[in-house]
Amino acid sequence: MPHFYAKKIDHISYPVSKDGFLLSCVARNIKYDNDDLILMRYMDSYFFFMQQNRGDRVLVKYNKHLQYHSINDIKMALQTYMELCNADVLFHNLNTKKNKKSTNSYLLSPNKESISKLYKQSKRISIEIGFGSGRHLLDLAQKNKDIVFLGIEIYNPAISQVLNQIQLLNLDNLYIINADCRILFNILDSHSIDSIYLHFPVPWDKNPQKRVFSREFLKECERILKVGGFLELRSDSKEYFDYAIDISNDFNAFEIHTSINSQTSIISKYEARWQRQNKDIYEAKFILNNFKDFIDIVESNFDFTSVDIHKIINSNDLKLLGDKYFLHIKHIYKFKDGYILFILFGAFNAPSKIYLLVNDNGSIEVLGNIINTQINMQALQLMKKWSK
Ligand SMILES: C[S@@+](CC[C@H](N)C(=O)[O-])C[C@H]1O[C@@H](n2cnc3c(N)ncnc32)[C@H](O)[C@@H]1O
């Protein structure tokens, strides 16, 4: 991740701007002296940097808790900060390829409104979860121009790489969303998706509750797939494969086809790795053969305006539990004009993260994406404990 070490840096009076970047504020963790958060804004986006003393040097690094940013943009933002604070730099990894900030219309926000664009563009929509290098997804998009593809990924460098490829290959039928698929699936329309590819998910053999595949996941696939549509799982982990088949035995909505070492039109980066190691590749195709009527969720928003920051600061329990969800105010930072809260919330196995900027003048700003799923909204209701 982009960062730099400096022998010393000057204090800045905030806010200050340079080259289109606005350094908004620096906030200090109220529990730890050595944990500063710097908020930088540019265009309609924002970055957080962490600043910590490490012995005789200062480390400033990108904080990756929020939504996707291109690596190039992050590097340029850090370079700007480096110059503004006159950093006496010892080391950095901020060489940029071009001096141009990126905008990318193929990167979608994780909300119903931006996804509705896809439903308008094509009658056929296909999803790849965790596309990694994008080899399989890009190949599909090039060969099937009448289908709209949606890649869902949580890893920034993979997203950057595929967004670049979309531009280079001039594709207009491939979109990317930076989100955890386990959360995002909840806001997709019922029976709207033709196919879902889940190729070589992280096996988590020692921690199965962290897997993408679960009973809840398959239930959501049953809801969002069209009848005749399919979920395709490929894995080198026999344990993962058996676990998925085991879960699917509780569902009668799918016809299941399994195979070992079956060929695909394109071999993904991970598949190539396992083939070189002569590992068996297990495939399961879950074809939906049963229509069930589901009620789509209606988007709602949580209103933070009644949050009383003083109640939060004086509270000795910042972890709240619901039935299947939780909310945890993990860190509180103080800046000149207010507080910044770092909040984890949502389902236990797929938490979301946001920062809440609470100004002394009463205004509150949410930094980060809230995917409006039912469980996220229920978790956020727990904030009411600290209402005015
Ligand atoms: C082992 S790699 C496989 C990459 C690619 N499918 C291939 O076959 O080469 C797993 C990928 O899934 C992504 N991933 C893991 N959990 C995810 C989640 N909950 N939602 C979306 N992507 C996820 C990871 O970032 C990683 O890129």
Side-chain angles (χ1 to χ4, degrees), residues 166-266:
I166 292 175
Q167 269 172 352
L168 287 173
L169 297 168
N170 242 330
L171 291 172
D172 63 359
N173 62 332
L174 171 53
Y175 296 85
I176 303 299
I177 291 192
N178 172 212
D180 183 327
C181 65
R182 295 169 298 178
I183 308 176
L184 192 84
F185 270 23
N186 291 290
I187 62 162
L188 300 182
D189 285 355
S190 300
H191 300 305
S192 62
I193 306 297
D194 292 80
S195 46
I196 301 169
Y197 297 92
L198 175 60
H199 285 182
F200 304 93
V202 184
W204 290 115
D205 284 342
K206 293 203 173 108
N207 244 334
Q209 73 282 2
K210 289 194 173 175
R211 287 174 174 159
V212 163
F213 205 107
S214 67
R215 201 158 266 104
E216 292 71 39
F217 172 78
L218 198 56
K219 217 188 267 172
E220 279 302 278
C221 291
E222 180 184 0
R223 186 182 66 78
I224 66 176
L225 279 170
K226 293 177 184 167
V227 175
F230 63 84
L231 161 69
E232 183 178 280
L233 167 71
R234 281 174 84 80
S235 178
D236 58 299
S237 162
K238 173 92 166 57
E239 232 170 300
Y240 199 117
F241 172 81
D242 288 344
Y243 162 91
I245 297 295
D246 199 37
I247 285 177
S248 67
N249 285 334
D250 296 345
F251 290 72
N252 55 15
F254 296 102
E255 187 183 305
I256 303 168
H257 297 253
T258 61
S259 58
I260 302 181
N261 298 327
S262 60
Q263 300 293 313
T264 49
S265 59
I266 182 95

Side-chain angles (χ1 to χ4, degrees), residues 6 29 46 94 96 135 143 161 193 207 220 239-240 242 264 278 280 292 306-307 333 341 343:
N29 195 317
Y46 38 78
L94 307 178
T96 46
R135 224 186 261 181
K143 288 181 179 153
Q161 191 176 325
I193 306 297
N207 244 334
E220 279 302 278
E239 232 170 300
Y240 199 117
D242 288 344
T264 49
N278 287 324
D280 283 331
K292 234 198 243 174
S306 65
V307 168
Y333 299 86
L341 311 179
I343 305 175

Side-chain angles (χ1 to χ4, degrees), residues 67-333:
Q67 78 272 35
Y68 165 80
H69 294 110
S70 96
I71 300 284
N72 216 51
D73 291 352
I74 299 165
K75 287 181 173 177
M76 282 195 292
L78 273 167
Q79 280 172 7
T80 306
Y81 179 59
M82 217 156 80
E83 287 164 25
L84 279 167
C85 65
N86 264 326
D88 189 354
V89 177
L90 294 165
F91 171 84
H92 73 79
N93 63 354
L94 307 178
N95 291 331
T96 46
K97 288 201 184 96
K98 50 185 188 305
N99 190 26
K100 194 167 143 269
K101 281 176 252 172
S102 65
T103 50
N104 202 311
S105 50
Y106 292 97
L107 178 71
L108 301 183
S109 302
N111 57 46
K112 261 181 175 288
E113 196 191 346
S114 62
I115 295 165
S116 67
K117 269 210 295 195
L118 309 187
Y119 301 133
K120 283 182 198 138
Q121 188 173 332
S122 171
K123 285 199 168 67
R124 296 174 66 196
I125 300 178
S126 178
I127 289 179
E128 180 160 346
I129 295 169
F131 50 77
S133 71
R135 224 186 261 181
H136 178 260
L137 181 60
L138 288 160
D139 184 68
L140 281 179
Q142 282 171 277
K143 288 181 179 153
N144 300 279
K145 294 285 179 144
D146 55 330
I147 302 178
V148 165
F149 290 88
L150 175 63
I152 306 173
E153 182 48 82
I154 53 172
Y155 185 51
N156 265 9
I159 295 172
S160 276
Q161 191 176 325
V162 172
L163 285 172
N164 283 340
Q165 287 297 317
I166 292 175
Q167 269 172 352
L168 287 173
L169 297 168
N170 242 330
L171 291 172
D172 63 359
N173 62 332
L174 171 53
Y175 296 85
I176 303 299
I177 291 192
N178 172 212
D180 183 327
C181 65
R182 295 169 298 178
I183 308 176
L184 192 84
F185 270 23
N186 291 290
I187 62 162
L188 300 182
D189 285 355
S190 300
H191 300 305
S192 62
I193 306 297
D194 292 80
S195 46
I196 301 169
Y197 297 92
L198 175 60
H199 285 182
F200 304 93
V202 184
W204 290 115
D205 284 342
K206 293 203 173 108
N207 244 334
Q209 73 282 2
K210 289 194 173 175
R211 287 174 174 159
V212 163
F213 205 107
S214 67
R215 201 158 266 104
E216 292 71 39
F217 172 78
L218 198 56
K219 217 188 267 172
E220 279 302 278
C221 291
E222 180 184 0
R223 186 182 66 78
I224 66 176
L225 279 170
K226 293 177 184 167
V227 175
F230 63 84
L231 161 69
E232 183 178 280
L233 167 71
R234 281 174 84 80
S235 178
D236 58 299
S237 162
K238 173 92 166 57
E239 232 170 300
Y240 199 117
F241 172 81
D242 288 344
Y243 162 91
I245 297 295
D246 199 37
I247 285 177
S248 67
N249 285 334
D250 296 345
F251 290 72
N252 55 15
F254 296 102
E255 187 183 305
I256 303 168
H257 297 253
T258 61
S259 58
I260 302 181
N261 298 327
S262 60
Q263 300 293 313
T264 49
S265 59
I266 182 95
I267 294 171
S268 79
K269 187 172 163 193
Y270 271 80
E271 178 151 359
R273 178 187 292 179
W274 306 134
Q275 281 189 352
R276 281 196 299 276
Q277 294 178 19
N278 287 324
K279 286 181 106 178
D280 283 331
I281 306 296
Y282 301 89
E283 182 181 295
K285 205 164 180 169
F286 306 85
I287 304 167
L288 189 75
N289 60 14
N290 207 341
F291 181 87
K292 234 198 243 174
D293 223 355
F294 292 95
I295 301 166
D296 285 338
I297 66 148
V298 181
E299 279 219 290
S300 57
N301 280 312
F302 182 76
D303 179 8
F304 287 95
T305 49
S306 65
V307 168
D308 183 341
I309 186 70
H310 300 289
K311 280 195 182 159
I312 293 177
I313 289 164
N314 294 323
S315 170
N316 43 24
D317 189 10
L318 295 175
K319 259 187 208 168
L320 304 178
L321 295 183
D323 175 16
K324 291 181 177 161
Y325 49 87
F326 76 103
L327 182 133
H328 180 191
I329 301 183
K330 189 141 191 251
H331 294 297
I332 303 175
Y333 299 86

